[in-house]
Amino acid sequence: MSRATPPSSGSMTYLLTHLIEQAAEVDPAHPALRHRGQTLTYGELLERASALAHALIEEGVAPGDRVGILLQKSFDSAIALYGIMAAGAVYVPLDPGSPVSRLAFVLRDCGITRLVSEERFLPTLSALGEAGVRIDTVYGIDDDQDAPFTAIPWREVATRPSTPPQIPTTEQDLCYILYTSGSTGTPKGIMHTHRSALAWAEVTVAEYGLSSSDIISNYAPLHFDLSTLDYFGGARARATTVIIPEEYTRFPASLASLIADERMTVFYTVPLALVRLAAPGTLDGRDLSSLRLVLFGGEPMPIKHLRHMMLSLPDAQFVNVYGPTETNGCTHYRVPAVPDERDLGLPIGRPYPNVTVMVVDSDGAPVGVGGKGELLVRAPTLMRGYWARPDLNEKSLVDVPGVGGRPDVYHATGDLVSPTEEGNLAFLGRRDRQIKARGNRVELDEVEAVLLEHPLVHEAAVYALADAEGSLQPHAEVILIPGSEASVKDIRTHAARALPSYAVPASIAVRDGFPRTSTGKIDRLRLQTDAQAGRSTMAGATV
Amino acid sequence: MSTQQSIAQFISTGLLDGGREIGIDDEVVLDGTIDSLGVTRLIDYLEKEFGVAIAPHDVTIENFRSATTMAALVESRQTAESV
């Protein structure tokens, strides 16, 4: 696969903001973004982002400052991220669905006092103020409010110059920080530089042949790293990115219509979106033949739903993309054919060019074909580190002796993988999703995969609980295919046929739905803590 | 009680635990009042309460925008089934 030639750049450095500058220079009228039937061209995007950058600088934003984005996905949120970077600052997308205490943590953690937001989040902003968080300036809100901060509305921003300010940013400077939940529940800020983010944009354009004729989905919210492909891969290719409104994630039939109406060619999403689209009947009457590429990542894709989607879209290439937020994408697996329904899971495939992977056992020794170990990754797309967390950096960024004994920095992903004979990596699960049940090692993700094989199980979540003797046991909750009635006994019999007895869930509960994280993943931690506390937030029968 | 009012009442008491009054034209999906589990429960309620089958391709933003649009969906299914 040939790599794309980097575009010519006026300066020695090459920044994320140059992507839209170049696109606006080559073809200013080309649609950069689509949202609710409206179009924003590259020329307009550059002008509006530049104006915001000038407005930020006027209020004292200095290179390296963190600026928050508290917005629903829209043109404004895209303008905000480019405008913040054009001011030499670092954008920090906030999840509007987060509790105020978590938002307050993030703002304090990286010292955010300026935000781009909108009227609908005024109650959140005032709750943050009441929680003692200092907020100086909020862009995108009308100034006739009795607010304890300076409010600068978009109409005022629009009076600022529409050409990019000259800022001495280099490609080694930070461009964004994405906060993810740590395993302890404390959010950690993952810092990326223009260089690491651009390296990922380059990879996606080269590997997937993204071009200006592509129409790319933006399904993920900005605080989820999938969005960086949608925006920066898209802008690098001078493609059009369709910002999918949040409510479409709850209505798969409407999502299917939107894909069809916008003639999307590339759809990048979490498995959940495909699981929902794959529910029987959802795609009826929708023509999704414009899709040439379906990328999915974030968690394992259930085989049965992938089969359904691949049979429904025979001309699209399906690709399993693997990579923690810390590294961006590091490996991928182009699904060669509709998988067998008995397959337990998809491999995560092979590293992208320029990515080096190692699989090591608990002693740090390399693991060969068929062995199991933790995946270490070295890549130009690797983060700089965690914001203000030297303890985490030390644990997760490890030195490995390289050529000539010079140490190379690898990211210890915490993911367990196994090299296969075909040269792929098989994904086994999170290291912290591996438990010892009565002394036996159990991969909770493997138990989930087995449950999903049952023809009437639509989704499954497995977590560990300590029994009366303090030994961990897997417990399962499942959602059935709509309208079907499987018995728990039947599902248990199915699991017992495929799993050793210690790995068969101690309980299986049938649910109507699962609690989800804001990125669409099943919130297994909440299922587990609810079960521990002996309460259930979900209606349903437990047997 | 009309179909619209019954649906609005179910949203208010069945989904939101009586936490909020819901008007028949309140845009409950656009403003995020109804999450994806709520959508599942709404479908279940509409099917059982009004004896209609709601096909997955009918579960759209347009049909679930408000109690009024949901009532129109229910009525169109009832008509379709009685023909």
Side-chain angles (χ1 to χ4, degrees), chain A residues 48 62 64 93 123 175 256 279 339 369 380 399 405 407 424 433-434 444:
Chain A
R48 293 179 61 181
C175 56
V369 169
D399 281 343
N424 286 313
R433 292 271 293 155
Q434 183 183 67
L444 298 176

Side-chain angles (χ1 to χ4, degrees), chain A residues 416-456:
Chain A
L416 295 171
V417 300
S418 176
T420 70
E421 278 177 17
E422 300 79 36
N424 286 313
L425 291 171
F427 182 78
L428 304 175
R430 292 288 304 162
R431 200 169 55 174
D432 53 16
R433 292 271 293 155
Q434 183 183 67
I435 62 162
K436 280 278 179 74
R438 302 184 194 289
N440 302 288
R441 186 181 287 183
V442 175
E443 312 286 355
L444 298 176
D445 295 321
E446 186 186 348
V447 180
E448 274 180 19
V450 165
L451 292 171
L452 274 167
E453 276 192 309
H454 188 283
L456 299 181

Side-chain angles (χ1 to χ4, degrees), chain A residues 39-53:
Chain A
T39 300
L40 193 73
T41 66
Y42 275 104
E44 291 164 335
L45 175 58
L46 178 63
E47 286 176 7
R48 293 179 61 181
S50 299
L52 176 61

Side-chain angles (χ1 to χ4, degrees), chain A residues 36 120 247-248 250-254 276 279-282 284 286 512-514 516 537-539, chain B residues 28-37 39-41 44 55-62 64:
Chain A
R36 297 194 190 280
R120 73 162 70 215
E247 70 269 14
Y248 282 76
R250 282 170 278 140
F251 290 89
S254 296
R276 289 187 174 155
T282 304
D284 289 1
R286 271 97 182 167
D512 293 340
F514 288 138
R516 308 270 175 189
T537 48
M538 301 291 138
Chain B
V28 285
V29 303
L30 290 183
D31 69 7
T33 301
I34 307 292
D35 61 12
S36 54
L37 180 59
V39 175
T40 309
R41 289 192 186 164
D44 197 45
H57 63 261
D58 282 331
V59 183
T60 62
I61 295 167
E62 293 71 37
F64 282 75

Side-chain angles (χ1 to χ4, degrees), chain A residues 109-385:
Chain A
D109 189 53
C110 66
I112 291 173
T113 59
R114 298 180 183 90
L115 293 152
V116 185
S117 190
E118 60 188 306
E119 307 282 328
R120 73 162 70 215
F121 297 124
L122 277 173
T124 308
L125 291 168
S126 71
L128 284 166
E130 281 158 26
V133 178
R134 186 188 127 194
I135 298 175
D136 294 336
T137 317
V138 182
Y139 294 82
I141 282 184
D142 272 341
D143 49 3
D144 56 353
Q145 309 287 336
D146 191 17
F149 45 76
T150 306
I152 301 178
W154 284 112
R155 64 171 180 279
E156 197 183 321
V157 171
T159 64
R160 302 301 189 272
S162 57
T163 50
Q166 294 302 309
I167 298 292
T169 308
T170 77
E171 58 191 22
Q172 309 215 36
D173 290 321
L174 296 185
C175 56
Y176 59 78
I177 301 175
L178 300 184
Y179 275 81
T180 64
S181 294
S183 50
T184 56
T186 308
K188 51 190 182 185
I190 294 167
M191 302 186 285
H192 275 282
T193 62
H194 286 269
R195 175 181 284 177
S196 61
L198 271 167
W200 174 230
E202 295 288 348
V203 166
T204 60
V205 170
E207 284 294 312
Y208 305 122
L210 302 182
S211 77
S212 60
S213 57
D214 273 314
I215 299 174
I216 302 172
S217 70
N218 170 223
Y219 182 91
L222 290 188
H223 63 271
F224 193 13
D225 70 333
L226 266 60
S227 63
T228 62
L229 183 154
D230 311 338
Y231 288 95
F232 307 132
R236 173 66 185 81
R238 299 201 308 274
T240 303
T241 296
V242 180
I243 302 173
I244 298 173
E246 191 272 336
E247 70 269 14
Y248 282 76
T249 62
R250 282 170 278 140
F251 290 89
S254 296
L255 177 60
S257 297
L258 187 66
I259 293 169
D261 294 347
E262 294 284 345
R263 305 286 304 153
M264 289 185 209
T265 59
V266 179
F267 187 52
Y268 185 25
T269 175
V270 286
L272 174 69
L274 298 179
V275 167
R276 289 187 174 155
L277 286 172
T282 304
L283 298 181
D284 289 1
R286 271 97 182 167
D287 173 14
L288 303 192
S289 59
S290 60
L291 285 176
R292 68 172 182 87
L293 183 65
V294 178
L295 306 167
F296 48 89
E299 61 179 344
M301 175 77 208
I303 292 290
K304 75 161 91 173
H305 303 302
L306 177 64
R307 277 176 53 81
H308 184 94
M309 287 304 291
M310 289 184 73
L311 292 167
S312 304
L313 300 171
D315 297 325
Q317 161 91 82
F318 284 73
V319 184
N320 187 18
V321 177
Y322 165 82
T325 307
E326 285 86 342
T327 60
N328 286 302
C330 13
T331 71
H332 69 158
Y333 178 71
R334 295 173 191 268
V335 188
V338 180
D340 191 284
E341 57 194 9
R342 286 164 305 182
D343 286 356
L344 270 187
L346 283 182
I348 56 171
R350 300 161 195 256
Y352 290 106
N354 294 344
V355 175
T356 312
V357 297
M358 287 177 66
V359 184
V360 297
D361 65 18
S362 49
D363 298 323
V367 159
V369 169
K372 285 184 187 181
E374 183 180 6
L375 180 63
L376 308 187
V377 175
R378 176 167 181 256
T381 53
L382 179 62
M383 67 171 177
R384 179 190 287 171

Side-chain angles (χ1 to χ4, degrees), chain A residues 407-530:
Chain A
D408 291 327
V409 177
Y410 281 69
H411 172 57
T413 61
D415 286 331
L416 295 171
V417 300
S418 176
T420 70
E421 278 177 17
E422 300 79 36
N424 286 313
L425 291 171
F427 182 78
L428 304 175
R430 292 288 304 162
R431 200 169 55 174
D432 53 16
R433 292 271 293 155
Q434 183 183 67
I435 62 162
K436 280 278 179 74
R438 302 184 194 289
N440 302 288
R441 186 181 287 183
V442 175
E443 312 286 355
L444 298 176
D445 295 321
E446 186 186 348
V447 180
E448 274 180 19
V450 165
L451 292 171
L452 274 167
E453 276 192 309
H454 188 283
L456 299 181
V457 172
H458 190 61
E459 286 191 84
V462 175
Y463 50 86
L465 288 180
D467 64 14
E469 293 160 332
S471 171
L472 288 174
Q473 284 188 300
H475 289 257
E477 305 199 11
V478 298
I479 300 173
L480 300 179
I481 300 273
S484 71
E485 301 215 352
S487 77
V488 166
K489 192 174 154 212
D490 192 39
I491 298 171
R492 177 183 302 286
T493 308
H494 163 82
R497 258 188 240 128
L499 293 167
S501 59
Y502 53 81
V504 177
S507 76
I508 300 175
V510 177
R511 299 289 185 217
D512 293 340
F514 288 138
R516 308 270 175 189
T517 67
S518 65
T519 51
K521 298 181 186 181
I522 298 170
D523 192 346
R524 295 174 178 84
L525 189 61
R526 189 170 140 204
L527 287 173
Q528 181 187 24
T529 48
D530 285 353

